[in-house]
Amino acid sequence: KNQVEQSPQSLIILEGKNCTLQCNYTVSPFSNLRWYKQDTGRGPVSLTIMTFSENTKSNGRYTATLDADTKQSSLHITASQLSDSASYICVVSDRGSTLGRLYFGRGTQLTVWP
Amino acid sequence: EADIYQTPRYLVIGTGKKITLECSQTMGHDKMYWYQQDPGMELHLIHYSYGVNSTEKGDLSSESTVSRIRTEHFPLTLESARPSHTSQYLCASSDGVGSTEAFFGQGTRLTVV
């Protein structure tokens, strides 16, 4: 069964600190992995997208890594800001169908305190 | 900023009413999707479309229906709303498969009382 598991479920950090969010998946055949940021009551917004051959990708203070062999990904946030408080969702796409089915994790709820 | 719009953003409606959630995109994308998301839970695919006159049911069974008469428009309809339909509904679109991007609307928060 294709699944995406994220940890931790929730995380509280102080402003300026770094943090790392984890994502493990069993989706096969793998196409790509995306990290989305979802503010409360709003739609997800893409942060990064990585294909099988990519190990790391950065977007400002966000750096995602991918190990396709162990089927693990991480999202590292550097020098956190209050505006980083949101849910971070790991999404894995398969290439076994023309739809490019998206499988969603439950997200990590990040809270940044001043 | 993605050009995909959902209306209304919030809707409170009585049991038994018929409702239509609107979703429009101006990017010319062929593929469009409806997801349902309960608080703190993952997104579940309830409907998708490959293009005009193409609609399919997703992974999560839903009593809602969709139509795709125009490329840019993918409305979702509930003929008779029930409290169990209370949820957030998110619309998305993409222009292909694989590494292409999926853009999401802001969502509609539906409450059925």
Side-chain angles (χ1 to χ4, degrees), chain B residues 3-8 20-27 31-34 66-68 70-76 89-93 103-108:
Chain B
D3 295 320
I4 180 165
Y5 308 99
Q6 290 184 242
T7 57
T20 296
L21 308 185
E22 302 289 348
C23 176
S24 297
Q25 49 96 4
T26 59
M27 296 173 282
K31 293 179 172 62
M32 295 189 74
Y33 317 81
W34 275 103
V66 293
S67 62
R68 190 86 183 277
R70 303 198 315 266
T71 298
E72 62 270 22
H73 198 211
F74 191 39
L76 180 146
Y89 294 84
L90 286 158
C91 179
S93 74
F103 296 95
F104 286 83
Q106 297 279 37
T108 294

PDB file of all heavy atoms in Angstrom, chain B residues 3-8 20-27 31-34 66-68 70-76 89-93 103-108:
ATOM      1  N   ASP B   3      -2.785  30.916 -10.187  1.00  0.00           N
ATOM      2  CA  ASP B   3      -4.041  31.475 -10.669  1.00  0.00           C
ATOM      3  C   ASP B   3      -5.137  30.432 -10.600  1.00  0.00           C
ATOM      4  O   ASP B   3      -5.676  30.018 -11.621  1.00  0.00           O
ATOM      5  CB  ASP B   3      -3.856  31.999 -12.090  1.00  0.00           C
ATOM      6  CG  ASP B   3      -2.890  33.166 -12.132  1.00  0.00           C
ATOM      7  OD1 ASP B   3      -2.964  34.003 -11.209  1.00  0.00           O
ATOM      8  OD2 ASP B   3      -2.068  33.218 -13.057  1.00  0.00           O
ATOM      9  N   ILE B   4      -5.465  30.014  -9.406  1.00  0.00           N
ATOM     10  CA  ILE B   4      -6.557  29.080  -9.186  1.00  0.00           C
ATOM     11  C   ILE B   4      -7.377  29.594  -8.013  1.00  0.00           C
ATOM     12  O   ILE B   4      -6.835  29.923  -6.962  1.00  0.00           O
ATOM     13  CB  ILE B   4      -6.046  27.637  -8.961  1.00  0.00           C
ATOM     14  CG1 ILE B   4      -7.203  26.672  -8.728  1.00  0.00           C
ATOM     15  CG2 ILE B   4      -4.982  27.567  -7.890  1.00  0.00           C
ATOM     16  CD1 ILE B   4      -6.802  25.205  -8.848  1.00  0.00           C
ATOM     17  N   TYR B   5      -8.683  29.675  -8.238  1.00  0.00           N
ATOM     18  CA  TYR B   5      -9.545  30.376  -7.300  1.00  0.00           C
ATOM     19  C   TYR B   5     -10.711  29.496  -6.874  1.00  0.00           C
ATOM     20  O   TYR B   5     -11.301  28.788  -7.693  1.00  0.00           O
ATOM     21  CB  TYR B   5     -10.078  31.656  -7.933  1.00  0.00           C
ATOM     22  CG  TYR B   5      -8.991  32.532  -8.511  1.00  0.00           C
ATOM     23  CD1 TYR B   5      -8.712  32.503  -9.873  1.00  0.00           C
ATOM     24  CD2 TYR B   5      -8.235  33.359  -7.695  1.00  0.00           C
ATOM     25  CE1 TYR B   5      -7.710  33.291 -10.411  1.00  0.00           C
ATOM     26  CE2 TYR B   5      -7.227  34.149  -8.225  1.00  0.00           C
ATOM     27  CZ  TYR B   5      -6.972  34.106  -9.580  1.00  0.00           C
ATOM     28  OH  TYR B   5      -5.973  34.879 -10.101  1.00  0.00           O
ATOM     29  N   GLN B   6     -11.040  29.579  -5.597  1.00  0.00           N
ATOM     30  CA  GLN B   6     -12.188  28.853  -5.074  1.00  0.00           C
ATOM     31  C   GLN B   6     -13.144  29.827  -4.401  1.00  0.00           C
ATOM     32  O   GLN B   6     -12.721  30.735  -3.690  1.00  0.00           O
ATOM     33  CB  GLN B   6     -11.752  27.815  -4.045  1.00  0.00           C
ATOM     34  CG  GLN B   6     -11.008  26.639  -4.631  1.00  0.00           C
ATOM     35  CD  GLN B   6     -10.691  25.591  -3.586  1.00  0.00           C
ATOM     36  OE1 GLN B   6      -9.533  25.284  -3.314  1.00  0.00           O
ATOM     37  NE2 GLN B   6     -11.733  25.018  -2.995  1.00  0.00           N
ATOM     38  N   THR B   7     -14.424  29.603  -4.635  1.00  0.00           N
ATOM     39  CA  THR B   7     -15.448  30.381  -3.936  1.00  0.00           C
ATOM     40  C   THR B   7     -16.592  29.462  -3.543  1.00  0.00           C
ATOM     41  O   THR B   7     -16.885  28.491  -4.257  1.00  0.00           O
ATOM     42  CB  THR B   7     -15.999  31.503  -4.830  1.00  0.00           C
ATOM     43  OG1 THR B   7     -16.523  30.930  -6.046  1.00  0.00           O
ATOM     44  CG2 THR B   7     -14.948  32.538  -5.162  1.00  0.00           C
ATOM     45  N   PRO B   8     -17.230  29.725  -2.414  1.00  0.00           N
ATOM     46  CA  PRO B   8     -16.827  30.726  -1.426  1.00  0.00           C
ATOM     47  C   PRO B   8     -15.660  30.221  -0.571  1.00  0.00           C
ATOM     48  O   PRO B   8     -15.321  29.058  -0.641  1.00  0.00           O
ATOM     49  CB  PRO B   8     -18.099  30.874  -0.580  1.00  0.00           C
ATOM     50  CG  PRO B   8     -18.721  29.509  -0.624  1.00  0.00           C
ATOM     51  CD  PRO B   8     -18.435  28.976  -2.002  1.00  0.00           C
ATOM     52  N   THR B  20     -23.046  24.288  -4.380  1.00  0.00           N
ATOM     53  CA  THR B  20     -22.001  24.122  -5.405  1.00  0.00           C
ATOM     54  C   THR B  20     -20.775  24.913  -4.994  1.00  0.00           C
ATOM     55  O   THR B  20     -20.869  26.114  -4.724  1.00  0.00           O
ATOM     56  CB  THR B  20     -22.491  24.595  -6.782  1.00  0.00           C
ATOM     57  OG1 THR B  20     -23.578  23.767  -7.200  1.00  0.00           O
ATOM     58  CG2 THR B  20     -21.371  24.483  -7.807  1.00  0.00           C
ATOM     59  N   LEU B  21     -19.647  24.229  -4.921  1.00  0.00           N
ATOM     60  CA  LEU B  21     -18.369  24.875  -4.638  1.00  0.00           C
ATOM     61  C   LEU B  21     -17.680  25.135  -5.974  1.00  0.00           C
ATOM     62  O   LEU B  21     -17.531  24.227  -6.795  1.00  0.00           O
ATOM     63  CB  LEU B  21     -17.498  23.993  -3.756  1.00  0.00           C
ATOM     64  CG  LEU B  21     -18.153  23.461  -2.468  1.00  0.00           C
ATOM     65  CD1 LEU B  21     -17.125  22.695  -1.632  1.00  0.00           C
ATOM     66  CD2 LEU B  21     -18.782  24.566  -1.661  1.00  0.00           C
ATOM     67  N   GLU B  22     -17.260  26.380  -6.173  1.00  0.00           N
ATOM     68  CA  GLU B  22     -16.679  26.764  -7.448  1.00  0.00           C
ATOM     69  C   GLU B  22     -15.157  26.677  -7.415  1.00  0.00           C
ATOM     70  O   GLU B  22     -14.518  26.978  -6.409  1.00  0.00           O
ATOM     71  CB  GLU B  22     -17.093  28.189  -7.801  1.00  0.00           C
ATOM     72  CG  GLU B  22     -18.595  28.423  -7.892  1.00  0.00           C
ATOM     73  CD  GLU B  22     -19.213  27.759  -9.108  1.00  0.00           C
ATOM     74  OE1 GLU B  22     -18.466  27.313 -10.006  1.00  0.00           O
ATOM     75  OE2 GLU B  22     -20.455  27.672  -9.168  1.00  0.00           O
ATOM     76  N   CYS B  23     -14.577  26.268  -8.536  1.00  0.00           N
ATOM     77  CA  CYS B  23     -13.123  26.251  -8.698  1.00  0.00           C
ATOM     78  C   CYS B  23     -12.795  26.648 -10.128  1.00  0.00           C
ATOM     79  O   CYS B  23     -13.307  26.047 -11.070  1.00  0.00           O
ATOM     80  CB  CYS B  23     -12.550  24.869  -8.403  1.00  0.00           C
ATOM     81  SG  CYS B  23     -10.758  24.768  -8.703  1.00  0.00           S
ATOM     82  N   SER B  24     -11.960  27.655 -10.280  1.00  0.00           N
ATOM     83  CA  SER B  24     -11.556  28.118 -11.604  1.00  0.00           C
ATOM     84  C   SER B  24     -10.052  28.349 -11.649  1.00  0.00           C
ATOM     85  O   SER B  24      -9.478  28.830 -10.678  1.00  0.00           O
ATOM     86  CB  SER B  24     -12.275  29.426 -11.960  1.00  0.00           C
ATOM     87  OG  SER B  24     -13.666  29.240 -12.040  1.00  0.00           O
ATOM     88  N   GLN B  25      -9.457  28.015 -12.797  1.00  0.00           N
ATOM     89  CA  GLN B  25      -8.030  28.284 -12.984  1.00  0.00           C
ATOM     90  C   GLN B  25      -7.814  28.915 -14.356  1.00  0.00           C
ATOM     91  O   GLN B  25      -8.501  28.565 -15.320  1.00  0.00           O
ATOM     92  CB  GLN B  25      -7.192  26.999 -12.821  1.00  0.00           C
ATOM     93  CG  GLN B  25      -7.671  25.798 -13.602  1.00  0.00           C
ATOM     94  CD  GLN B  25      -6.973  25.600 -14.928  1.00  0.00           C
ATOM     95  OE1 GLN B  25      -6.044  26.324 -15.283  1.00  0.00           O
ATOM     96  NE2 GLN B  25      -7.415  24.615 -15.680  1.00  0.00           N
ATOM     97  N   THR B  26      -6.866  29.814 -14.407  1.00  0.00           N
ATOM     98  CA  THR B  26      -6.606  30.561 -15.643  1.00  0.00           C
ATOM     99  C   THR B  26      -5.282  30.166 -16.268  1.00  0.00           C
ATOM    100  O   THR B  26      -4.722  30.901 -17.082  1.00  0.00           O
ATOM    101  CB  THR B  26      -6.616  32.075 -15.358  1.00  0.00           C
ATOM    102  OG1 THR B  26      -5.600  32.367 -14.379  1.00  0.00           O
ATOM    103  CG2 THR B  26      -7.964  32.540 -14.840  1.00  0.00           C
ATOM    104  N   MET B  27      -4.745  29.010 -15.892  1.00  0.00           N
ATOM    105  CA  MET B  27      -3.443  28.559 -16.384  1.00  0.00           C
ATOM    106  C   MET B  27      -3.569  27.609 -17.567  1.00  0.00           C
ATOM    107  O   MET B  27      -2.562  27.138 -18.099  1.00  0.00           O
ATOM    108  CB  MET B  27      -2.687  27.875 -15.240  1.00  0.00           C
ATOM    109  CG  MET B  27      -2.376  28.837 -14.092  1.00  0.00           C
ATOM    110  SD  MET B  27      -1.677  28.022 -12.640  1.00  0.00           S
ATOM    111  CE  MET B  27      -3.153  27.311 -11.910  1.00  0.00           C
ATOM    112  N   LYS B  31      -5.479  18.980 -16.136  1.00  0.00           N
ATOM    113  CA  LYS B  31      -5.815  18.149 -14.977  1.00  0.00           C
ATOM    114  C   LYS B  31      -6.279  19.000 -13.793  1.00  0.00           C
ATOM    115  O   LYS B  31      -5.626  19.964 -13.411  1.00  0.00           O
ATOM    116  CB  LYS B  31      -4.614  17.293 -14.578  1.00  0.00           C
ATOM    117  CG  LYS B  31      -4.249  16.250 -15.614  1.00  0.00           C
ATOM    118  CD  LYS B  31      -3.044  15.439 -15.196  1.00  0.00           C
ATOM    119  CE  LYS B  31      -2.828  14.277 -16.148  1.00  0.00           C
ATOM    120  NZ  LYS B  31      -2.558  14.715 -17.531  1.00  0.00           N
ATOM    121  N   MET B  32      -7.411  18.623 -13.244  1.00  0.00           N
ATOM    122  CA  MET B  32      -7.913  19.303 -12.052  1.00  0.00           C
ATOM    123  C   MET B  32      -8.379  18.276 -11.033  1.00  0.00           C
ATOM    124  O   MET B  32      -8.759  17.148 -11.399  1.00  0.00           O
ATOM    125  CB  MET B  32      -9.053  20.273 -12.412  1.00  0.00           C
ATOM    126  CG  MET B  32      -8.591  21.423 -13.300  1.00  0.00           C
ATOM    127  SD  MET B  32      -9.812  22.707 -13.541  1.00  0.00           S
ATOM    128  CE  MET B  32      -9.781  23.541 -11.941  1.00  0.00           C
ATOM    129  N   TYR B  33      -8.324  18.669  -9.763  1.00  0.00           N
ATOM    130  CA  TYR B  33      -8.562  17.736  -8.667  1.00  0.00           C
ATOM    131  C   TYR B  33      -9.389  18.406  -7.562  1.00  0.00           C
ATOM    132  O   TYR B  33      -9.282  19.617  -7.356  1.00  0.00           O
ATOM    133  CB  TYR B  33      -7.232  17.293  -8.033  1.00  0.00           C
ATOM    134  CG  TYR B  33      -6.116  16.971  -8.990  1.00  0.00           C
ATOM    135  CD1 TYR B  33      -5.334  17.977  -9.558  1.00  0.00           C
ATOM    136  CD2 TYR B  33      -5.822  15.650  -9.310  1.00  0.00           C
ATOM    137  CE1 TYR B  33      -4.297  17.677 -10.428  1.00  0.00           C
ATOM    138  CE2 TYR B  33      -4.776  15.350 -10.177  1.00  0.00           C
ATOM    139  CZ  TYR B  33      -4.022  16.363 -10.724  1.00  0.00           C
ATOM    140  OH  TYR B  33      -2.996  16.068 -11.584  1.00  0.00           O
ATOM    141  N   TRP B  34     -10.178  17.592  -6.862  1.00  0.00           N
ATOM    142  CA  TRP B  34     -10.818  18.033  -5.625  1.00  0.00           C
ATOM    143  C   TRP B  34     -10.322  17.125  -4.499  1.00  0.00           C
ATOM    144  O   TRP B  34     -10.339  15.901  -4.613  1.00  0.00           O
ATOM    145  CB  TRP B  34     -12.339  17.933  -5.712  1.00  0.00           C
ATOM    146  CG  TRP B  34     -12.986  19.121  -6.329  1.00  0.00           C
ATOM    147  CD1 TRP B  34     -13.493  19.238  -7.593  1.00  0.00           C
ATOM    148  CD2 TRP B  34     -13.232  20.383  -5.705  1.00  0.00           C
ATOM    149  NE1 TRP B  34     -14.022  20.483  -7.775  1.00  0.00           N
ATOM    150  CE2 TRP B  34     -13.880  21.207  -6.641  1.00  0.00           C
ATOM    151  CE3 TRP B  34     -12.969  20.904  -4.429  1.00  0.00           C
ATOM    152  CZ2 TRP B  34     -14.269  22.525  -6.361  1.00  0.00           C
ATOM    153  CZ3 TRP B  34     -13.349  22.194  -4.149  1.00  0.00           C
ATOM    154  CH2 TRP B  34     -13.994  22.990  -5.105  1.00  0.00           C
ATOM    155  N   VAL B  66     -19.108  16.157  -9.689  1.00  0.00           N
ATOM    156  CA  VAL B  66     -18.354  17.219 -10.361  1.00  0.00           C
ATOM    157  C   VAL B  66     -18.715  17.240 -11.833  1.00  0.00           C
ATOM    158  O   VAL B  66     -19.288  16.287 -12.373  1.00  0.00           O
ATOM    159  CB  VAL B  66     -16.833  17.045 -10.204  1.00  0.00           C
ATOM    160  CG1 VAL B  66     -16.400  17.240  -8.765  1.00  0.00           C
ATOM    161  CG2 VAL B  66     -16.398  15.680 -10.728  1.00  0.00           C
ATOM    162  N   SER B  67     -18.359  18.331 -12.486  1.00  0.00           N
ATOM    163  CA  SER B  67     -18.526  18.447 -13.930  1.00  0.00           C
ATOM    164  C   SER B  67     -17.352  19.225 -14.492  1.00  0.00           C
ATOM    165  O   SER B  67     -16.708  20.004 -13.782  1.00  0.00           O
ATOM    166  CB  SER B  67     -19.840  19.152 -14.281  1.00  0.00           C
ATOM    167  OG  SER B  67     -19.844  20.480 -13.773  1.00  0.00           O
ATOM    168  N   ARG B  68     -17.061  18.986 -15.773  1.00  0.00           N
ATOM    169  CA  ARG B  68     -15.943  19.696 -16.435  1.00  0.00           C
ATOM    170  C   ARG B  68     -16.389  20.028 -17.857  1.00  0.00           C
ATOM    171  O   ARG B  68     -16.059  19.366 -18.829  1.00  0.00           O
ATOM    172  CB  ARG B  68     -14.700  18.806 -16.459  1.00  0.00           C
ATOM    173  CG  ARG B  68     -13.447  19.544 -16.908  1.00  0.00           C
ATOM    174  CD  ARG B  68     -12.764  20.242 -15.778  1.00  0.00           C
ATOM    175  NE  ARG B  68     -11.613  21.013 -16.169  1.00  0.00           N
ATOM    176  CZ  ARG B  68     -10.392  20.511 -16.350  1.00  0.00           C
ATOM    177  NH1 ARG B  68     -10.180  19.204 -16.178  1.00  0.00           N
ATOM    178  NH2 ARG B  68      -9.388  21.281 -16.680  1.00  0.00           N
ATOM    179  N   ARG B  70     -15.917  23.178 -19.120  1.00  0.00           N
ATOM    180  CA  ARG B  70     -14.892  24.072 -19.657  1.00  0.00           C
ATOM    181  C   ARG B  70     -13.564  23.741 -18.982  1.00  0.00           C
ATOM    182  O   ARG B  70     -13.531  23.325 -17.828  1.00  0.00           O
ATOM    183  CB  ARG B  70     -15.242  25.532 -19.421  1.00  0.00           C
ATOM    184  CG  ARG B  70     -16.573  25.959 -19.990  1.00  0.00           C
ATOM    185  CD  ARG B  70     -16.664  27.475 -20.117  1.00  0.00           C
ATOM    186  NE  ARG B  70     -16.200  28.196 -18.950  1.00  0.00           N
ATOM    187  CZ  ARG B  70     -16.987  28.611 -17.974  1.00  0.00           C
ATOM    188  NH1 ARG B  70     -18.266  28.350 -18.012  1.00  0.00           N
ATOM    189  NH2 ARG B  70     -16.502  29.291 -16.959  1.00  0.00           N
ATOM    190  N   THR B  71     -12.475  23.945 -19.687  1.00  0.00           N
ATOM    191  CA  THR B  71     -11.153  23.632 -19.154  1.00  0.00           C
ATOM    192  C   THR B  71     -10.895  24.342 -17.839  1.00  0.00           C
ATOM    193  O   THR B  71     -10.319  23.764 -16.915  1.00  0.00           O
ATOM    194  CB  THR B  71     -10.052  24.036 -20.167  1.00  0.00           C
ATOM    195  OG1 THR B  71     -10.219  23.279 -21.366  1.00  0.00           O
ATOM    196  CG2 THR B  71      -8.660  23.796 -19.595  1.00  0.00           C
ATOM    197  N   GLU B  72     -11.319  25.592 -17.751  1.00  0.00           N
ATOM    198  CA  GLU B  72     -10.945  26.411 -16.602  1.00  0.00           C
ATOM    199  C   GLU B  72     -11.860  26.231 -15.395  1.00  0.00           C
ATOM    200  O   GLU B  72     -11.570  26.762 -14.333  1.00  0.00           O
ATOM    201  CB  GLU B  72     -10.928  27.889 -17.004  1.00  0.00           C
ATOM    202  CG  GLU B  72     -12.268  28.448 -17.454  1.00  0.00           C
ATOM    203  CD  GLU B  72     -12.495  28.293 -18.938  1.00  0.00           C
ATOM    204  OE1 GLU B  72     -11.846  27.412 -19.564  1.00  0.00           O
ATOM    205  OE2 GLU B  72     -13.330  29.047 -19.484  1.00  0.00           O
ATOM    206  N   HIS B  73     -12.928  25.460 -15.526  1.00  0.00           N
ATOM    207  CA  HIS B  73     -13.939  25.433 -14.483  1.00  0.00           C
ATOM    208  C   HIS B  73     -14.223  23.997 -14.037  1.00  0.00           C
ATOM    209  O   HIS B  73     -14.473  23.119 -14.888  1.00  0.00           O
ATOM    210  CB  HIS B  73     -15.209  26.087 -15.026  1.00  0.00           C
ATOM    211  CG  HIS B  73     -16.165  26.502 -13.983  1.00  0.00           C
ATOM    212  ND1 HIS B  73     -17.534  26.508 -14.188  1.00  0.00           N
ATOM    213  CD2 HIS B  73     -15.991  26.944 -12.717  1.00  0.00           C
ATOM    214  CE1 HIS B  73     -18.134  26.910 -13.088  1.00  0.00           C
ATOM    215  NE2 HIS B  73     -17.228  27.191 -12.192  1.00  0.00           N
ATOM    216  N   PHE B  74     -14.215  23.748 -12.709  1.00  0.00           N
ATOM    217  CA  PHE B  74     -14.393  22.381 -12.186  1.00  0.00           C
ATOM    218  C   PHE B  74     -15.224  22.452 -10.906  1.00  0.00           C
ATOM    219  O   PHE B  74     -14.714  22.272  -9.804  1.00  0.00           O
ATOM    220  CB  PHE B  74     -13.014  21.767 -11.918  1.00  0.00           C
ATOM    221  CG  PHE B  74     -13.016  20.292 -11.632  1.00  0.00           C
ATOM    222  CD1 PHE B  74     -13.850  19.408 -12.317  1.00  0.00           C
ATOM    223  CD2 PHE B  74     -12.135  19.754 -10.703  1.00  0.00           C
ATOM    224  CE1 PHE B  74     -13.825  18.044 -12.074  1.00  0.00           C
ATOM    225  CE2 PHE B  74     -12.087  18.390 -10.439  1.00  0.00           C
ATOM    226  CZ  PHE B  74     -12.935  17.533 -11.129  1.00  0.00           C
ATOM    227  N   PRO B  75     -16.528  22.683 -11.026  1.00  0.00           N
ATOM    228  CA  PRO B  75     -17.361  22.847  -9.833  1.00  0.00           C
ATOM    229  C   PRO B  75     -17.707  21.517  -9.175  1.00  0.00           C
ATOM    230  O   PRO B  75     -17.816  20.484  -9.840  1.00  0.00           O
ATOM    231  CB  PRO B  75     -18.623  23.530 -10.387  1.00  0.00           C
ATOM    232  CG  PRO B  75     -18.684  23.073 -11.811  1.00  0.00           C
ATOM    233  CD  PRO B  75     -17.262  22.947 -12.273  1.00  0.00           C
ATOM    234  N   LEU B  76     -17.909  21.564  -7.868  1.00  0.00           N
ATOM    235  CA  LEU B  76     -18.294  20.397  -7.072  1.00  0.00           C
ATOM    236  C   LEU B  76     -19.661  20.668  -6.460  1.00  0.00           C
ATOM    237  O   LEU B  76     -19.882  21.736  -5.885  1.00  0.00           O
ATOM    238  CB  LEU B  76     -17.244  20.133  -5.981  1.00  0.00           C
ATOM    239  CG  LEU B  76     -17.475  18.945  -5.041  1.00  0.00           C
ATOM    240  CD1 LEU B  76     -16.140  18.305  -4.659  1.00  0.00           C
ATOM    241  CD2 LEU B  76     -18.214  19.365  -3.780  1.00  0.00           C
ATOM    242  N   TYR B  89     -12.597  21.760   1.617  1.00  0.00           N
ATOM    243  CA  TYR B  89     -12.494  21.224   0.264  1.00  0.00           C
ATOM    244  C   TYR B  89     -11.467  22.059  -0.508  1.00  0.00           C
ATOM    245  O   TYR B  89     -11.583  23.276  -0.611  1.00  0.00           O
ATOM    246  CB  TYR B  89     -13.853  21.250  -0.436  1.00  0.00           C
ATOM    247  CG  TYR B  89     -14.842  20.311   0.214  1.00  0.00           C
ATOM    248  CD1 TYR B  89     -15.578  20.705   1.328  1.00  0.00           C
ATOM    249  CD2 TYR B  89     -15.007  19.007  -0.266  1.00  0.00           C
ATOM    250  CE1 TYR B  89     -16.463  19.834   1.945  1.00  0.00           C
ATOM    251  CE2 TYR B  89     -15.896  18.133   0.347  1.00  0.00           C
ATOM    252  CZ  TYR B  89     -16.617  18.554   1.454  1.00  0.00           C
ATOM    253  OH  TYR B  89     -17.488  17.683   2.070  1.00  0.00           O
ATOM    254  N   LEU B  90     -10.453  21.354  -1.045  1.00  0.00           N
ATOM    255  CA  LEU B  90      -9.375  22.025  -1.760  1.00  0.00           C
ATOM    256  C   LEU B  90      -9.376  21.596  -3.225  1.00  0.00           C
ATOM    257  O   LEU B  90      -9.469  20.409  -3.537  1.00  0.00           O
ATOM    258  CB  LEU B  90      -8.027  21.680  -1.149  1.00  0.00           C
ATOM    259  CG  LEU B  90      -7.728  22.345   0.188  1.00  0.00           C
ATOM    260  CD1 LEU B  90      -6.678  21.568   0.951  1.00  0.00           C
ATOM    261  CD2 LEU B  90      -7.262  23.774  -0.022  1.00  0.00           C
ATOM    262  N   CYS B  91      -9.263  22.554  -4.104  1.00  0.00           N
ATOM    263  CA  CYS B  91      -9.193  22.318  -5.537  1.00  0.00           C
ATOM    264  C   CYS B  91      -7.748  22.529  -5.992  1.00  0.00           C
ATOM    265  O   CYS B  91      -7.050  23.413  -5.475  1.00  0.00           O
ATOM    266  CB  CYS B  91     -10.130  23.275  -6.255  1.00  0.00           C
ATOM    267  SG  CYS B  91     -10.146  23.124  -8.048  1.00  0.00           S
ATOM    268  N   ALA B  92      -7.294  21.725  -6.941  1.00  0.00           N
ATOM    269  CA  ALA B  92      -5.935  21.862  -7.459  1.00  0.00           C
ATOM    270  C   ALA B  92      -5.931  21.620  -8.960  1.00  0.00           C
ATOM    271  O   ALA B  92      -6.866  21.033  -9.510  1.00  0.00           O
ATOM    272  CB  ALA B  92      -4.989  20.880  -6.763  1.00  0.00           C
ATOM    273  N   SER B  93      -4.874  22.076  -9.615  1.00  0.00           N
ATOM    274  CA  SER B  93      -4.721  21.815 -11.044  1.00  0.00           C
ATOM    275  C   SER B  93      -3.257  21.601 -11.380  1.00  0.00           C
ATOM    276  O   SER B  93      -2.365  22.058 -10.655  1.00  0.00           O
ATOM    277  CB  SER B  93      -5.286  22.981 -11.870  1.00  0.00           C
ATOM    278  OG  SER B  93      -4.424  24.112 -11.815  1.00  0.00           O
ATOM    279  N   PHE B 103      -0.932  23.120  -8.372  1.00  0.00           N
ATOM    280  CA  PHE B 103      -1.278  24.372  -7.702  1.00  0.00           C
ATOM    281  C   PHE B 103      -2.619  24.215  -7.001  1.00  0.00           C
ATOM    282  O   PHE B 103      -3.559  23.675  -7.578  1.00  0.00           O
ATOM    283  CB  PHE B 103      -1.355  25.511  -8.721  1.00  0.00           C
ATOM    284  CG  PHE B 103      -0.045  25.803  -9.393  1.00  0.00           C
ATOM    285  CD1 PHE B 103       0.264  25.224 -10.618  1.00  0.00           C
ATOM    286  CD2 PHE B 103       0.874  26.652  -8.802  1.00  0.00           C
ATOM    287  CE1 PHE B 103       1.475  25.486 -11.236  1.00  0.00           C
ATOM    288  CE2 PHE B 103       2.089  26.923  -9.424  1.00  0.00           C
ATOM    289  CZ  PHE B 103       2.384  26.330 -10.638  1.00  0.00           C
ATOM    290  N   PHE B 104      -2.680  24.729  -5.780  1.00  0.00           N
ATOM    291  CA  PHE B 104      -3.888  24.600  -4.978  1.00  0.00           C
ATOM    292  C   PHE B 104      -4.611  25.931  -4.845  1.00  0.00           C
ATOM    293  O   PHE B 104      -3.977  26.994  -4.776  1.00  0.00           O
ATOM    294  CB  PHE B 104      -3.557  24.082  -3.582  1.00  0.00           C
ATOM    295  CG  PHE B 104      -3.217  22.625  -3.539  1.00  0.00           C
ATOM    296  CD1 PHE B 104      -1.936  22.180  -3.825  1.00  0.00           C
ATOM    297  CD2 PHE B 104      -4.185  21.682  -3.220  1.00  0.00           C
ATOM    298  CE1 PHE B 104      -1.624  20.826  -3.804  1.00  0.00           C
ATOM    299  CE2 PHE B 104      -3.888  20.329  -3.182  1.00  0.00           C
ATOM    300  CZ  PHE B 104      -2.609  19.900  -3.478  1.00  0.00           C
ATOM    301  N   GLY B 105      -5.932  25.856  -4.759  1.00  0.00           N
ATOM    302  CA  GLY B 105      -6.722  27.008  -4.391  1.00  0.00           C
ATOM    303  C   GLY B 105      -6.661  27.225  -2.893  1.00  0.00           C
ATOM    304  O   GLY B 105      -6.036  26.458  -2.162  1.00  0.00           O
ATOM    305  N   GLN B 106      -7.330  28.284  -2.438  1.00  0.00           N
ATOM    306  CA  GLN B 106      -7.300  28.626  -1.021  1.00  0.00           C
ATOM    307  C   GLN B 106      -8.204  27.734  -0.179  1.00  0.00           C
ATOM    308  O   GLN B 106      -8.098  27.724   1.040  1.00  0.00           O
ATOM    309  CB  GLN B 106      -7.715  30.090  -0.833  1.00  0.00           C
ATOM    310  CG  GLN B 106      -6.767  31.080  -1.493  1.00  0.00           C
ATOM    311  CD  GLN B 106      -5.538  31.353  -0.655  1.00  0.00           C
ATOM    312  OE1 GLN B 106      -4.998  30.475   0.007  1.00  0.00           O
ATOM    313  NE2 GLN B 106      -5.088  32.579  -0.661  1.00  0.00           N
ATOM    314  N   GLY B 107      -9.078  27.011  -0.818  1.00  0.00           N
ATOM    315  CA  GLY B 107      -9.956  26.105  -0.089  1.00  0.00           C
ATOM    316  C   GLY B 107     -11.308  26.709   0.240  1.00  0.00           C
ATOM    317  O   GLY B 107     -11.458  27.941   0.302  1.00  0.00           O
ATOM    318  N   THR B 108     -12.291  25.839   0.442  1.00  0.00           N
ATOM    319  CA  THR B 108     -13.613  26.236   0.928  1.00  0.00           C
ATOM    320  C   THR B 108     -13.869  25.483   2.225  1.00  0.00           C
ATOM    321  O   THR B 108     -13.842  24.251   2.239  1.00  0.00           O
ATOM    322  CB  THR B 108     -14.723  25.909  -0.078  1.00  0.00           C
ATOM    323  OG1 THR B 108     -14.549  26.701  -1.248  1.00  0.00           O
ATOM    324  CG2 THR B 108     -16.092  26.189   0.530  1.00  0.00           C
TER     325      THR B 108
END
